[in-house]
Amino acid sequence: MGRGTGRGPRPRAGLAPLDGPLRFLLLSSFLIPLGSFMVLPFMSVFLHERLGMGLGTVGVVLAVASLVQFSGGIAGGALSDRIGLRRTMLWALIVRTAGFMGLLLALRWPPLAVGALILTCCGAALYLPANKAYLIHGVDDERRPAYLSAGNAALNAGMAMGPLIAGPFVLSSPGWLFVTATALFVAVTAGHARLPATGDQPAAPGTPRQGLLAGVALLPFAANALAFYLYFYFQHFLALYAVEQASTAFYSLVLLLCFALVIVVQPLASGLISRMPYGLALTVGFAGLAAGLAVLALGTRPALLAGGALITLGDIVLFLKNDLEALHRSPRSDAVVFGQQRLAAGLGAFVSGVLGGLLYGLGERVGDTGSFWLLAAAQCLLLPPLLLTLRRRVVRRHDPHDYDEGALPHHDTDRRIPGR
């Protein structure tokens, strides 16, 4: 399948020529968020204005949905170990397609909307760990950053295009919008049914089941939770702040800039990020977050653009490096590792939403929302040193050669089969 085997001459890190299944998987990594983000970013508007739900209820629904979508990834990783990667992706897409059908039916019976939304999030939770594991199955360590970055670029391109396409129709013609998204998911699901059974090696009968957190790479897990906690201050509350300081249109421009940076910069920088010592990557990433959040406090239009760019560049380093380190340090399968990292992301995002909402509300009441961003920036400087303390304790308990902060080695020091 055009992938490295880990033998022979050391290949140049990057994407090898891709065969049909991998090209389809990358295309799906664009189409799935395209269909999802034609609908999901507007759910607060749809639930409140179209279905008449109170804003308090809408907030609770969206918080639960986000927690399910992120943290449910750990169940998706475990399911992949039991039934295989392709089967997990297929069942996840069936569940998600059913969710979008439910949203369409909710136009006639509104109470169905909440269950349908949760169903789509369950499908997303099951799909992503298996998708990432399938994408890098059999790929040597040096090429993994390039493959993961390509998948992330496709994901962000779909997330950027979805709202642009759907914005004019979400309130005027939601029925046609839901029909289009459902049809797209039906087509993608049919395509997944034809994928080769790469990685479909479910556990043999009688194999003891490991706990969902068994073998977790503690430091990358904690770093991922902290990174998402700090990033979701930006994700959750930028809309309120940007609309107040500028306009809805300018907020959309900031989001487009952030998506464009991920699409362009992460694939180009993936090799550098993979070779970067882990301690340095954490320092660079959290420093980018701190700088960006502090710049947002200025409240001007240039500050919104510059702050969004700095935050995105910091997260490009943190999110990719944490996944690579987790894959390197854990003895579990790739899908389980990705699921554990999604759990960390979900926990961080959930705490950010709860605590951030209280802090932003306090800033609104005192008439100084800029201080909210300064407080978030301060956390970027104060909390990461705790991670480095955790790292030093981990290194003391283990052979330091197993946890070298340098580039990921060509051979697997955990004696894992490449791609597993």
Side-chain angles (χ1 to χ4, degrees):
M1 297 185 71
R3 307 180 182 206
T5 63
R7 299 176 182 176
R10 187 168 178 158
R12 180 172 60 89
L15 286 173
L18 300 178
D19 60 10
L22 281 186
R23 286 197 297 270
F24 172 77
L25 200 65
L26 287 175
L27 177 63
S28 297
S29 295
F30 168 75
L31 293 176
I32 289 172
L34 174 69
S36 298
F37 273 68
M38 287 169 60
V39 175
L40 298 183
F42 304 103
M43 284 308 298
S44 59
V45 178
F46 178 74
L47 294 174
H48 179 56
E49 297 190 13
R50 185 81 183 192
L51 302 184
M53 291 186 181
L55 285 175
T57 303
V58 169
V60 171
V61 169
L62 295 182
V64 171
S66 298
L67 184 63
V68 169
Q69 182 166 339
F70 277 101
S71 299
I74 196 167
L79 183 64
S80 298
D81 263 9
R82 305 307 299 180
I83 68 174
L85 299 177
R86 184 193 59 173
R87 293 188 186 96
T88 299
M89 288 191 293
L90 193 57
W91 278 110
L93 288 170
I94 290 171
V95 169
R96 205 163 191 190
T97 303
F100 278 96
M101 290 180 177
L103 290 174
L104 180 61
L105 295 175
L107 293 174
R108 297 289 184 132
W109 189 40
L112 190 60
V114 174
L117 176 61
I118 299 300
L119 203 58
T120 64
C121 293
C122 288
L126 295 176
Y127 180 82
L128 192 59
N131 169 273
K132 284 187 171 184
Y134 192 103
L135 185 64
I136 64 171
H137 181 79
V139 176
D140 59 75
D141 283 337
E142 289 198 353
R143 293 191 187 274
R144 285 185 167 199
Y147 279 79
L148 289 174
S149 294
N152 289 339
L155 179 77
N156 278 271
M159 291 167 63
M161 291 296 296
L164 292 177
I165 294 173
F169 311 107
V170 68
L171 290 180
S172 61
S173 306
W176 285 108
L177 192 62
F178 293 160
V179 167
T180 302
T182 301
L184 182 60
F185 272 91
V186 168
V188 171
T189 302
H192 276 69
R194 298 177 61 85
L195 285 174
T198 298
D200 273 11
Q201 299 173 356
T207 301
R209 297 192 180 187
Q210 294 181 281
L212 293 178
L213 287 175
V216 66
L218 183 58
L219 180 55
F221 182 91
N224 213 44
L226 180 57
F228 272 83
Y229 163 71
L230 295 168
Y231 171 73
F232 265 77
Y233 276 93
F234 172 76
Q235 182 76 11
H236 283 314
F237 303 107
L238 180 66
L240 295 172
Y241 186 69
V243 170
E244 175 190 351
Q245 303 295 329
S247 66
T248 303
F250 195 81
Y251 167 65
S252 300
L253 179 62
V254 174
L255 291 185
L256 283 175
L257 172 64
C258 296
F259 283 129
L261 285 174
V262 175
I263 294 166
V264 175
V265 174
Q266 191 177 74
L268 294 176
S270 61
L272 175 63
I273 294 170
S274 70
R275 294 188 298 272
M276 190 180 294
Y278 193 32
L280 177 60
L282 293 177
T283 300
V284 169
F286 285 116
L289 284 181
L293 290 166
V295 168
L296 288 180
L298 297 175
T300 64
R301 294 190 175 206
L304 293 174
L305 288 170
L310 288 168
I311 289 167
T312 302
L313 292 174
D315 284 326
I316 285 173
V317 176
L318 287 172
F319 294 164
L320 179 58
K321 189 64 173 181
N322 283 330
D323 276 354
L324 292 173
E325 285 291 320
L327 288 168
H328 174 55
R329 296 177 184 223
S330 174
R332 301 294 299 274
S333 69
D334 293 342
V336 168
V337 172
F338 286 128
Q340 291 171 342
Q341 290 297 95
R342 290 287 287 180
L343 172 62
L347 294 175
F350 183 78
V351 174
S352 180
V354 174
L355 181 58
L358 295 174
L359 295 175
Y360 196 90
L362 178 61
E364 276 193 329
R365 286 193 294 273
V366 301
D368 183 15
T369 51
S371 61
F372 169 82
W373 303 107
L374 293 176
L375 182 58
Q379 292 182 73
C380 294
L381 300 177
L382 296 175
L383 296 180
L386 298 178
L387 286 177
L388 299 181
T389 301
L390 173 63
R391 171 192 163 271
R392 285 192 290 270
R393 290 179 179 177
V394 170
V395 170
R396 289 194 198 102
R397 287 201 302 265
H398 298 274
D399 181 357
H401 295 293
D402 288 339
Y403 296 94
D404 182 12
E405 278 195 332
L408 293 181
H410 183 63
H411 299 292
D412 200 326
T413 58
D414 288 340
R415 296 185 176 89
R416 294 164 61 224
I417 301 170
R420 291 293 295 166

